[in-house]
Amino acid sequence: MINESAVFWSRVLTETTLTFHIIYATIGVGIPLMIMIAQWVGYKNNDEHYILLARRWTRGFVITVAVGVVTGTAIGLQLSLLWPNFMQLAGQVIALPLFMETFAFFFEAIFLGIYLYTWDRFDSQKKHMLLLIPVAIGASMSAVFITIVNSFMNAPQGFDVVNGELVNIQPLIAMFNPAMPTKVAHVLVSAYMTSAFILASIAAFRLLQGSNHIYHKKALFLLMKLGIVFSFATALIGDFSGKYLAEYQPEKLAAAEWHFETTGEAPLVLLGIMDDGEVRYEITVPYGLSILAHSNPFAEVIGLDEFPPDEIPPLYIHYLFNIMVFIGMFLFLVPLVYVIGKRRSWSFINKKWFRWVIVSGGPLSIIAIEAGWWLAEVGRQPWILRGLMRTEQGATTSDQVDLMLLLFCILYIVLGIGSIVVLRRMFRANTIEREIAERKLEKR
Amino acid sequence: MNLEVLGVTVLWTFLFGYVIVASIDFGAGFFNAYTLLTNRSHILSDIIKRYLSPVWEVTNVFLVFFFVGIVGFFPLTAFYYGTILLVPVSISIILLAVRGSYYAFESYGAAGHKGYALAYGLSGLLIPASLSVVLTISEGGFVDIVDGRPVLDFWALYTSPLSWSIVLLSIAAVLYISAVFLTWYAWKANDPQASDLMRKYSLIWALPLIITAIGIIVEMRDHNAVHFNSIVSLWPLFLLSGLLFLVTVWFLWKKRNYGLAVILLIFQFAFAFFAYGISHYPYLLYPHLTIHQGFTNTEMAIALVIAFILGLCLLLPSLYLLFRLFLFNKKYVTGERNDHV
Ligand code: HDD
Ligand code: HEM
Ligand code: HEM
């Protein structure tokens, strides 16, 4: 029995919670690595500025972790509350990585507590820095495990269905499904990339506000170098994700690329709008899609005509795909120009407008994360478990979901505003100039 | 021991861990707010902060572990409990979220105002109350199967004396556990004033605790005779728990052995908690769901158990380190060192 309105509201609530959680979760995955790199650079070069950088990032990080933890707890429970039938079925095959994720959280939480409260307790910075390694590993492993669950939803395997019952279950085969390598890798590097750009945004913004401190310049240069590495990796693995889709989820790729008929020498459709089933104003790159999907300009790419109409995902994911890819390209070029410009002393990289471009990197990478997830999740529709269970079959039958949606929306608004206000207050009250003076770090 | 019993034992143990750590946390928030209202906050708030700050996230993970684990080992619970608990558990999540994040906002960010501390303290009582509803529902009598799907009878739940006694017990237990622990912690921190205050609160809350606990057993006789009988058949365990309770109170009364009192308290609750758990066997939800029906397949169960053992090898040393650095570190506990980032 399916309760139409419960299905609808469950979807909206899941989308809302995940869209909110993913912001904090991504930051939570990436920032520990950035802190570690800064602390390491500071330790190696004996440069207190980098140590202080690590320290200040950590303070901000605690706030985002808190919101990440509470919204994560919400989505964890909501999976069972809103999708009980799905969890009951999928839980039999994919409970293992979810369970392992809780150990990753545990590990991270314990060492984060220790790390936060032992600055200056040890005689050497190095000892303290070592405590951060489990935090970074724990955070990244949480992302790995939860993404494995999500890849299972896209490419379920590791079981047989006999008379509607799941038998012959192999938890490890289920975990190492075809979607897993590209998905996990893309999610991880895009989280590192996003964190680098968010921190770079802050540094550039402080410089724009008139603080001309060398501290921000050092931070910016470090982050731009990291930005090149991670955005390149993100784009590269994104390309692999496309190839995965062509092989295993052709309907998602076809919908994302507006590729309607199976052909060889398939062109790539960029931009454009959908007008009454007609694609307009698009840019067509000959052979593009065949190259993207199979690295071969003549390869055949499966189109939407091979699927029954009720199994085709919504076509608007094309826009999401474009947004993500353009942001990905843009954010590869920006740090590249900056770093080369720095080497060659191009003056425009210190101009106001270019600083604003860097500031835009943080929000843009968050937008790319959101667009990417919406593309991945909406592109899987109408399935919750591809080929096995439709989304409406997984949902709860409860009649109160709409009320809960309202309550959770209020909660997220409060948490979102609260975290921003607290972060601003924290750093306003304790500017870098003041902190350096207090710590008498300036040896001049 | 078969796999489903092993699984449920592991989960119950972690739930017990959550009950203890979270009670200390919830109660501490309440006492903090209470002393703020009565203008005695200077006595307690430092002590409470020092204990809570490094461990609050760990507390939450205990809960996450439990609910992820139960769906892993017993996927059918997602179907039964997931469908009926939408409203009560959503409320708990929201309270937990507000509480957890404001704790971090306050203690790491800028100090907020009195209102937050009060809301924080109050939520510490509402959360155990709202979570304990799950236990009440598991006793049966509130869930009907209509058209093959479980439906919760809200009215019966909210008018049942059993659910209100369980709510009261959860609140009394939270305050008692927390007060006893903080008595010891403050004493260890060389803060006799705070320790005395907490000792007073422990003694005050001991009485409601024992009254509600006995009251629930009595009510169970009318509500769920099967469960009542299995509780009665486990009387030695409950008796032991009661004796430990008396010794703890006696130590507190005599102002001695606070450390031992905490250990006895943990054992007191462990005996009662596990005896209750055993008496609940084999039902996860009376009378619809037993651990045998709800159990996952053998392959997954074995995989989960292996993952659990490996996870423990990682976890126990880390927890030990956490406790050594904070709970049992004299310099930290007494506030001599504060190396906060
Ligand atoms: C900073 C964020 C970011 C950036 C710049 C990019 N992506 Fe991405 N992308 C993600 C963040 C992301 C993500 C949020 O991590 C997703 C959502 C789900 C997933 O697996 O990763 C994702 C999904 C995703 C998918 C769907 C995978 C699936 O559903 O299985 C494809 C095909 C791509 N990406 C391809 C690309 C390409 C070709 C990019 C070129 C530059 C690109 N992405 C940049
Ligand atoms: C392991 C990870 C994940 C699981 C188990 C999961 C689960 C689900 C479920 C049950 C649905 C069905 C609801 C629906 O169709 O509307 C869904 C859809 C959706 N999820 Fe995921 N999700 C995961 C990761 C994410 C993440 C990280 C995001 C980040 C934003 C996300 C965003 C969405 C969105 C936007 C939809 C809506 C699709 C639509 O409109 O039809 N998901 N997901
Ligand atoms: C359906 C999908 C998801 C579920 C059920 C989920 C579950 C959770 C839970 C229960 C927590 C709180 C853990 C605690 O108490 O410490 C949490 C936090 C977290 N989640 Fe999610 N999560 C989901 C999606 C994601 C995704 C896609 C990522 C990464 C890309 C992610 C990364 C994190 C991280 C890093 C944290 C820790 C908070 C922090 O350190 O900032 N989560 N999540």
Side-chain angles (χ1 to χ4, degrees), chain A residues 36-55:
Chain A
M36 210 159 81
I37 293 172
Q39 205 175 359
W40 187 72
V41 172
Y43 169 72
K44 273 273 155 206
N45 303 344
N46 210 356
D47 185 337
E48 286 288 348
H49 280 141
Y50 289 100
I51 306 269
L52 196 58
L53 202 58
R55 197 162 182 149

Side-chain angles (χ1 to χ4, degrees), chain A residues 250-418:
Chain A
E251 76 284 8
K252 196 192 266 186
L253 186 68
E257 303 286 13
W258 284 349
H259 179 59
F260 298 101
E261 274 150 38
T262 305
T263 53
E265 304 177 23
L268 181 67
V269 177
L270 287 177
L271 302 176
I273 56 166
M274 183 71 84
D275 190 10
D276 270 343
E278 288 276 325
V279 179
R280 294 203 185 173
Y281 310 118
E282 80 280 17
I283 303 169
T284 312
V285 184
Y287 304 108
L289 187 55
S290 288
I291 295 175
L292 263 187
H294 300 289
S295 313
N296 169 359
F298 307 104
E300 189 178 79
V301 181
I302 296 175
L304 289 173
D305 55 346
E306 309 221 348
F307 298 91
D310 70 335
E311 288 183 12
I312 292 178
L315 290 180
Y316 74 82
I317 60 175
H318 178 72
Y319 305 119
L320 301 172
F321 192 56
N322 280 180
I323 291 173
M324 178 177 69
V325 172
F326 277 102
I327 292 177
M329 302 292 176
F330 180 67
L331 290 185
F332 174 63
L333 292 178
V334 170
L336 196 65
V337 169
Y338 183 86
V339 171
I340 296 176
K342 193 98 179 162
R343 290 265 149 84
R344 309 230 158 144
S345 333
W346 293 343
S347 63
F348 74 87
I349 58 163
N350 293 325
K351 289 260 159 62
K352 259 200 166 147
W353 67 268
F354 196 77
R355 294 245 159 96
W356 278 115
V357 170
I358 297 176
V359 171
S360 76
L364 281 179
S365 47
I366 295 269
I367 293 173
I369 290 279
E370 298 286 4
W373 275 110
W374 278 76
L375 157 72
E377 300 293 298
V378 177
R380 191 188 61 235
Q381 302 306 317
W383 304 105
I384 192 166
L385 268 180
R386 182 175 180 273
L388 220 81
M389 182 186 245
R390 283 173 162 268
T391 303
E392 62 266 21
Q393 294 168 324
T396 183
T397 42
S398 170
D399 284 323
Q400 281 104 4
V401 188
D402 47 351
L403 182 65
M404 296 303 117
L405 175 66
L406 189 69
L407 292 181
F408 278 103
C409 284
I410 297 174
L411 174 71
Y412 299 144
I413 292 172
V414 170
L415 290 181
I417 295 178

Side-chain angles (χ1 to χ4, degrees), chain A residues 26-218:
Chain A
T26 304
I27 295 174
V29 173
I31 301 263
L33 187 69
M34 303 299 139
I35 300 175
M36 210 159 81
I37 293 172
Q39 205 175 359
W40 187 72
V41 172
Y43 169 72
K44 273 273 155 206
N45 303 344
N46 210 356
D47 185 337
E48 286 288 348
H49 280 141
Y50 289 100
I51 306 269
L52 196 58
L53 202 58
R55 197 162 182 149
R56 285 171 72 88
W57 287 348
T58 306
R59 270 187 229 135
F61 175 60
V62 182
I63 303 297
T64 57
V65 168
V67 181
V69 167
V70 298
T71 52
T73 310
I75 181 63
L77 278 162
Q78 278 176 1
L79 278 185
S80 294
L81 295 174
L82 299 175
W83 310 98
N85 305 320
F86 160 69
M87 284 303 275
Q88 181 215 327
L89 186 77
Q92 298 172 43
V93 193
I94 202 66
L96 183 60
L98 266 182
F99 191 60
M100 292 183 355
E101 195 194 5
T102 61
F103 283 104
F105 286 143
F106 243 128
F107 200 52
E108 181 196 351
I110 292 173
F111 281 93
L112 184 62
I114 298 178
Y115 182 74
L116 288 180
Y117 283 87
T118 51
W119 281 84
D120 306 332
R121 196 194 271 197
F122 304 110
D123 357 305
S124 91
Q125 271 291 331
K126 194 168 150 199
K127 247 190 195 166
H128 185 235
M129 200 170 74
L130 289 179
L131 288 172
L132 195 58
I133 295 175
V135 179
I137 292 180
S140 290
M141 286 317 281
S142 320
V144 169
F145 289 130
I146 196 69
T147 310
I148 288 178
V149 178
N150 186 263
S151 56
F152 173 80
M153 295 164 66
N154 283 285
Q157 68 169 27
F159 58 90
D160 295 314
V161 184
V162 176
N163 301 331
E165 299 260 325
L166 299 188
V167 295
N168 200 8
I169 286 163
Q170 293 163 299
L172 286 179
I173 307 277
M175 280 176 69
F176 292 93
N177 57 64
M180 178 254 183
T182 47
K183 201 159 207 134
V184 167
H186 195 54
V187 167
L188 274 185
V189 288
S190 64
Y192 301 146
M193 168 185 166
T194 307
S195 304
F197 279 100
I198 290 177
L199 295 171
S201 281
I202 299 172
F205 189 67
R206 293 294 304 155
L207 288 170
L208 270 172
Q209 279 185 331
S211 163
N212 216 8
H213 205 283
I214 179 80
Y215 166 90
H216 296 302
K217 293 184 180 158
K218 283 182 182 170

